[in-house]
């Protein structure tokens, strides 16, 4: 394995040094190839996602395949614009110098993907790395082995395999990879591993983007959205159970609602869940399963806490063999229980009641900064408070998850939920070094710039720097001291 | 009597600043502008003391202190005051059909409590400039100036305490012990200026808390000189950029020269001529250059000069005075590429010239070394300029001048690879200390059924239409009409 990594790195570095990946034409060819790969292999991709996670093909298309195709298409359409150097306006003091900023690829980058959206969380960063002109090594997650194998087998036959490589494996492979020097590391996963990645990157001063997670709260201000409550409930349900069964970094983790409305909310959630998954969600085919036994056991442990068990108001059934956990609703589980202190990443929805919805601000602030905050409210005051008093990667009002689809918005965390961002143009920037270029003129020269120093030059420069040009002129004419 | 800074002090400090931040002290526009204006007052009222401290610490000439530290700071503050409202305003973001109907924006929010660790060579500039960014962005900030410039450190502590809001802006003086204690705390951002070696330690400490960092490091900034250049101006600019900027002790100092064997003698002559014009026949006596900061660095530089195969390559200068911590402007030609002087950042008044058979070779030489903070090229050849700008990877590139890009607030200033990560100056400073929060405002109109289970092939078809931007189909779908 060490040798494979060494050789791959060497080849990718040579490829980068050759300049091939710098050409816009090469980048576009790769992006087109990605689109083609997805189109040609739609069925296979849906198949591996079903094998790894029990994803329905519609969910697979919506969250992964379709997303990747759109992302690649956007990059294709915008690349010519993105690669154009940005002109900078220079202060008059520097005339006639000119300045601009060029986006330059970092070089050879490492993308470490995750298991819950193994296609999109692999290909989307890849799209960014390629658009920016890098060579890239992708390590897919071993916890989604079919998707990982598919990518390892299929990418080389579509993309330039001296520039874009795929490696399979788990923590042991990751450890080997992290010993090497990369020009950028892009990681999607848990905060715990994020810290390990960043520490490893520190050895080589490698910049990182860490897309992590957290507990994404959902505020339901029932006073102001009562007319649209059905929509609210639908969106929350879709956001919790409709996307990888709650195993998403931007999943609705828990709901905050006023005590007086809690039972009404629950009574609306129940039929909504049934409308999505029928009377027997296990057989519906529309609910993803838990990824593996380890995560199943983790979730079972969260649920089996006596205080948590007592709070179950809907669902709660589990089937370890089928890695199935029923869409479950909890009402006010103990706040110090594990389920309220770690990212759930599963189909269990705690509803936390408050006396007054305004308290949701303080509640959210007491926890690490999440990747997203969702708030169903039309109260402008509450909206302002949420925006200015809480901190999160993003805030979405009156919907959930959908910010992921808006590629004009940067997607990334803050604090425990991550460092850096991507999507759309931000993906391109994520994998680029913004290099400043300044050009001076050899035709004009200012004596005052050079030693030996004297008080004339000092005054001149002081005035020049202050851009006090009129005073400067007076000074030069001897009309000012 | 100076109280010893201990672990509990570090914890208390961060706790206190966090409380101030949570209370909203630093968030408002008024507070930020007031603090910035107070920094301006420091520049206005205390320039002589600053010049004096810099002279004590570094032997820095008054002009360098006044122009390259105070004047640059003044500009930086004025720009921030002028632009702050603009910078603080959210950016509108375009939404697409898939999220219709929605509006989106990016809101700038402070990160919280940040740590700025500064360097000794431009102690005022490199302390206050990042602090300007931190304050503009609405953070509470702790500044740790370098202990290797003690007079400056002490003056900074005194002035910042006197003028700024100490519930949110503090200075901690000290060395390795204090820095280590500070690094154990959880910060919302760490901004470090210094060496690559320490940069690694900083990032490693930051990793424990997932703290984002800006590392402004260094490297060997090469200067490529083409034979078609105006040699007189080239020489003057190199000298002013090297010995005229803290005597070569600057992160973007021209470190070494690359030129052809043929052109090299002319380069050396031009440099000698202009060096004499600037510093006289006895540069050791000139008051227009900083001294070497301390005996450690003096010894480091001496060792470089004394290395076998290097000492005999000196073509100008070479005089040293350890007592006065002075080394004359020294030029060397074709020292071995694996010598100390060509392996580490010089950070001093020594300038090696490496000659090439062909100027083309400069690309390989530069590429074979760690990426520097700056790379310079003197030429009139348009093609060479373009190729250089495109293929030389460095923090920043300057053609036909030296170091000036540092003073341009509209260019991001930062490194890449070994020379650092992140950037600042102008709005980039504000951005460096902000979190750009994505905000999506969605309405309740139009809830596409295709978003939700139960899934069907029909829904799949519609989704595909959306992705393939089949406009007619899309409108029908998202308006819930399909």
């Amino acid at each position: 394995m060490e040798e494979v990594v060494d050789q791959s790195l060497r080849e990718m570095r040579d490829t980068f040094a050759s300049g091939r990946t710098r050409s816009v034409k090469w980048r576009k060819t790769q992006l087109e190839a990605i689109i083609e790969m997805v189109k040609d292999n739609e069925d296979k991709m849906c198949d591996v996602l079903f094998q790894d996670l029990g994803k329905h093909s519609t969910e697979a298309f919506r969250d992964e395949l379709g997303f990747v195709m759109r992302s690649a298409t956007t990059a294709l359409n915008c690349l010519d614009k993105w690669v154009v150097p940005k002109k900078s306006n220079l202060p008059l003091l520097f005339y006639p110098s000119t300045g601009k900023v060029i986006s330059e690829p970092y070089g050879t980058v490492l993308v470490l993907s995750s298991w819950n959206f193994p296609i999109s969380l692999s290909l989307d960063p890849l799209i960014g790395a390629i658009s920016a002109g890098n060579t890239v090594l992708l390590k897919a997650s071993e916890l989604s082995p079919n998707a990982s194998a598919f990518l390892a087998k299929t990418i080389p036959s579509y993309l330039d395999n001296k520039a874009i490589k795929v490696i399979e494996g788990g923590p042991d492979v990751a450890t080997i990879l992290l010993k090497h020097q990369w020009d950028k590391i892009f990681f999607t996963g848990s905060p715990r591993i994020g810290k390990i990645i960043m520490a490893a990157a520190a050895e080589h001063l490698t910049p990182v983007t860490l897309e992590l997670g957290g507990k994404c709260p959902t505020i339901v201000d029932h006073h102001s959205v009562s007319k649209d409550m059905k929509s609210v409930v639908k969106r929350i349900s879709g956001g919790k159970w409709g996307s990888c069964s709650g195993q998403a970094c931007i999943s609705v983790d828990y709901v905050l609602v006023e005590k007086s409305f809690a039972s009404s909310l629950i009574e609306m959630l129940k039929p909504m869940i049934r409308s999505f998954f029928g009377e027997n969600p296990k057989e519906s085919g529309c609910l993803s399963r838990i990824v593996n036994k380890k995560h199943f056991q983790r979730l079972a442990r969260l649920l089996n806490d006596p205080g948590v068990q007592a709070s179950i108001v809907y669902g709660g059934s589990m089937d370890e063999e089928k890695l199935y956990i029923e869409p479950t609703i909890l009402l006010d589980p103990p706040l110090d229980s594990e389920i309220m202190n770690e990212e759930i990443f599963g189909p269990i929805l705690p509803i936390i009641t408050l006396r007054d919805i305004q308290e949701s601000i303080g509640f959210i602030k007491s926890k690490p900064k999440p990747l997203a905050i969702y708030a169903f409210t039309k109260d402008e005051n509450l909206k302002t408070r949420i925006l200015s008093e809480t901190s999160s990667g993003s805030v979405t009002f009156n919907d959930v998850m959908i910010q992921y689809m808006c590629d004009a918005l940067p997607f990334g965390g803050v604090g425990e939920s991550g460092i850096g961002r991507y999507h759309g143009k931000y993906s391109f920037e994520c994998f680029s070094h913004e290099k400043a270029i300044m050009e001076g003129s050899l035709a004009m020269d200012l004596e005052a710039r050079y030693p030996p120093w004297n008080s004339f030059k000092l005054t001149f420069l002081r005035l020049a720097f202050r851009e006090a040009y009129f005073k400067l002129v007076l000074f030069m004419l001897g009309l000012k001291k | 009597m100076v109280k010893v800074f201990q672990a509990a002090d570090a914890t208390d400090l961060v706790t206190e600043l966090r409380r101030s931040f949570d209370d909203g002290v630093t968030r408002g526009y008024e507070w930020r502008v007031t603090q910035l204006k107070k920094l301006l007052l420091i520049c206005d009222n205390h320039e002589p003391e600053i010049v004096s401290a810099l002279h004590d610490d570094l032997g820095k000439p008054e002009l360098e202190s006044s122009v390259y530290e105070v004047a640059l700071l003044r500009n930086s503050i004025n720009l921030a005051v002028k632009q702050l409202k603009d910078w603080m305003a959210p950016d509108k973001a375009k939404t697409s059909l898939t999220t219709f109907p929605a509006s989106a924006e990016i809101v700038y929010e402070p990160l919280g409590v940040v740590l700025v660790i500064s360097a000794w060579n431009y102690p005022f500039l490199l302390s206050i400039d990042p602090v300007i960014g931190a304050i503009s962005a609405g953070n509470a900030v702790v500044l740790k100036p370098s202990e290797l410039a003690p007079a400056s450190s002490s003056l900074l502590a005194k002035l910042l305490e006197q003028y700024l809001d100490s519930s949110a802006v503090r200075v901690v003086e000290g060395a390795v012990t204090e820095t280590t204690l500070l690094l154990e705390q959880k910060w919302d951002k760490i901004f470090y200026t210094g060496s690559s070696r320490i940069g690694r330690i900083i990032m490693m400490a930051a990793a424990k808390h997932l703290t984002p960092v800006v590392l402004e490091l260094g490297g060997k900034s090469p200067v490529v000189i083409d034979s078609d250049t105006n040699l007189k101006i080239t020489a003057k600019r190199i000298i002013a950029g090297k010995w005229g900027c803290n005597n070569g002790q600057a992160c973007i100092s021209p470190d070494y020269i690359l030129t052809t064997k043929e052109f090299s003698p002319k380069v050396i002559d031009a440099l000698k001529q202009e060096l004499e014009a600037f510093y006289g026949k006895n540069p050791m006596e000139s008051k227009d250059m900083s001294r070497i900061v301390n005996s450690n660095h003096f010894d480091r530089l001496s060792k470089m000069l004394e290395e076998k195969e290097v000492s005999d390559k000196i073509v100008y200068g070479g005089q040293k005075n350890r007592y006065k911590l002075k080394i004359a402007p020294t030029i060397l030609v074709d020292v071995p590429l694996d010598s100390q002087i060509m392996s580490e950042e010089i950070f001093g008044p020594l300038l090696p010239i490496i000659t090439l058979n062909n100027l083309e070779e400069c690309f390989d030489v530069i590429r074979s070394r760690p990426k520097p903070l700056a790379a310079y090229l003197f030429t009139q050849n348009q093609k060479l300029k373009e190729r250089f700008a495109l293929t030389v990877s460095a923090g920043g590139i300057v053609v036909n001048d030296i170091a000036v890009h540092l003073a341009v607030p509209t260019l991001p200033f930062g490194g890449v690879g070994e020379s650092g990560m992140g950037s600042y100056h102008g709005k980039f400073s504000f951005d460096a200390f902000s979190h750009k929060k994505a905000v999506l405002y969605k309405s309740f109109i139009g809830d596409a059924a295709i978003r939700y289970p139960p899934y069907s092939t029909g829904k799949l078809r519609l989704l595909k239409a959306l992705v393939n931007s089949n406009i007619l189909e899309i409108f029908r779908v998202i308006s819930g009409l399909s």
Side-chain angles (χ1 to χ4, degrees), chain B residues 148-164:
Chain B
L148 297 189
S152 304
S153 172
S154 162
L155 184 58
L156 276 163
K158 175 172 147 244
L159 291 175
L160 261 58
E161 198 194 343
Q162 188 183 336
Y163 282 83
L164 301 188

Side-chain angles (χ1 to χ4, degrees), chain A residues 15 29 36 199-200 203 235 247 252 257 267 274 287 290 315 327 370 373 392 407 412 437 450:
Chain A
T15 304
T29 307
E36 208 191 316
E203 297 264 9
R235 289 175 183 187
Q247 300 165 104
V252 169
V257 70
E267 290 315 309
R274 285 195 290 270
L287 183 69
I290 308 305
I373 291 177
S392 56
D407 61 15
I437 318 268
Y450 306 112

Side-chain angles (χ1 to χ4, degrees), chain B residues 417-439:
Chain B
E418 287 283 317
S419 53
M421 55 183 77
S423 61
Y424 72 131
H425 287 178
K427 181 166 195 280
F428 302 102
S429 293
F430 178 84
D431 289 346
F433 288 97
S434 299
H435 166 51
K436 297 188 193 181
K437 185 159 74 179
V439 182

Side-chain angles (χ1 to χ4, degrees), chain B residues 240-286:
Chain B
K242 175 119 182 160
W243 294 281
C245 286
N246 208 28
N247 205 5
Q249 300 164 104
C251 51
I252 44 170
S253 206
D255 190 279
Y256 65 102
I257 290 180
L258 290 166
T259 191
T260 57
K261 284 195 179 354
E262 208 190 316
F263 198 57
S264 166
K266 292 208 178 81
V267 171
I268 296 169
D269 282 341
L271 284 168
K272 284 184 184 174
Q273 191 176 340
E274 297 307 326
L275 274 166
E276 205 177 296
F278 287 8
Y279 303 117
K281 286 200 192 303
N282 240 334
M284 294 286 269
E285 307 299 316
S286 170

Side-chain angles (χ1 to χ4, degrees), chain B residues 142-269:
Chain B
V142 172
L143 165 68
K144 206 229 48 80
S146 171
E147 70 281 13
L148 297 189
S152 304
S153 172
S154 162
L155 184 58
L156 276 163
K158 175 172 147 244
L159 291 175
L160 261 58
E161 198 194 343
Q162 188 183 336
Y163 282 83
L164 301 188
D165 179 352
S166 55
S167 75
V169 181
R170 295 278 261 280
V171 179
V172 173
E173 292 194 77
V176 177
T177 312
E178 289 76 8
T179 309
T180 308
L181 288 176
L182 288 171
L183 286 173
E184 279 163 11
Q185 299 298 314
K186 176 170 154 52
W187 302 94
D188 298 304
K189 183 108 187 190
I190 298 176
F191 186 106
Y192 168 73
T193 307
S195 73
S196 307
R197 188 180 70 86
I198 306 293
R200 286 171 159 79
I201 297 174
I202 305 277
M203 189 170 169
M204 198 99 56
K208 295 204 178 78
H209 299 286
L210 290 169
T211 298
V213 299
V214 170
L215 305 174
E216 296 274 332
L217 310 175
K220 294 180 76 61
S221 300
V223 186
V224 177
I225 304 180
D226 191 3
S227 53
D228 71 353
T229 189
N230 176 328
L231 201 45
K232 190 172 164 83
I233 292 186
T234 301
K236 287 164 82 166
R237 289 180 182 178
I238 290 174
I239 296 169
K242 175 119 182 160
W243 294 281
C245 286
N246 208 28
N247 205 5
Q249 300 164 104
C251 51
I252 44 170
S253 206
D255 190 279
Y256 65 102
I257 290 180
L258 290 166
T259 191
T260 57
K261 284 195 179 354
E262 208 190 316
F263 198 57
S264 166
K266 292 208 178 81
V267 171
I268 296 169
D269 282 341

Side-chain angles (χ1 to χ4, degrees), chain A residues 345-407:
Chain A
F345 232 68
I348 308 164
L349 179 67
I351 296 185
I352 308 295
T353 63
L354 309 163
R355 267 176 319 133
D356 184 327
I357 201 63
Q358 300 286 331
E359 289 167 25
S360 56
I361 309 269
F363 190 95
I364 293 171
K365 279 172 72 166
S366 71
K367 297 192 175 297
K369 301 178 182 184
L371 195 44
I373 291 177
Y374 304 113
F376 288 91
T377 179
K378 286 186 180 163
D379 178 346
E380 291 304 323
N381 204 19
L382 183 60
K383 283 188 191 176
T384 307
R385 278 199 72 202
I386 292 169
L387 280 182
S388 59
E389 293 179 44
T390 65
S391 183
S392 56
S394 65
V395 177
T396 299
F397 290 109
N398 298 329
D399 209 333
V400 303
M401 314 279 282
I402 200 100
Q403 74 278 14
Y404 192 77
M405 300 282 171
C406 180
D407 61 15

Side-chain angles (χ1 to χ4, degrees), chain A residues 198 205 231 287 318 352:
Chain A
M198 189 169 168
L205 288 172
S231 221
L287 183 69
M318 301 186 270
I352 308 295

